[in-house]
Amino acid sequence: MPAAVLLTRWSDSYDLLHAAFAIPLGLALGAAALASARSARRVEERTLGRVGGRRAARVGRALGILGLALAATAAVAVGVYGLLEYTGRQS
């Protein structure tokens, strides 16, 4: 999402609202990270820790939560920006 915002700064044909395409991508990647972390945790539990992967599961879960939080924050920010743009045009 930050990369999408930076791309809007360098491009004349895109504005900040066009960067909203990254929000569903962030949601999808965050959900995928959480699913992968859950799967890794199950494998680690089934093998009684012999295979390892506990740390990777924790990092994956943290990154998944971070991705979902960033996507939610970006959705709120784009919504407020769109509302301000709309009310600015009305007056």
Side-chain angles (χ1 to χ4, degrees):
M1 289 171 278
V5 172
L6 283 176
L7 288 174
T8 62
R9 297 291 181 206
W10 291 327
S11 176
D12 293 332
S13 60
Y14 297 110
D15 61 356
L16 190 58
L17 286 179
H18 289 120
F21 74 88
I23 295 171
L25 180 64
L27 284 172
L29 291 176
L34 287 176
S36 295
R38 185 178 301 145
S39 174
R41 192 174 46 208
R42 280 191 205 133
V43 168
E44 196 267 334
E45 286 173 357
R46 271 187 281 157
T47 60
L48 302 175
R50 291 182 297 223
V51 178
R54 180 179 293 175
R55 184 178 299 151
R58 285 183 183 167
V59 169
R61 182 173 184 209
L63 289 176
I65 291 171
L66 179 65
L68 291 176
L70 283 174
T73 302
V76 169
V78 167
V80 169
Y81 180 78
L83 182 66
L84 290 174
E85 284 283 321
Y86 175 75
T87 57
R89 284 190 217 135
Q90 298 299 319
S91 52

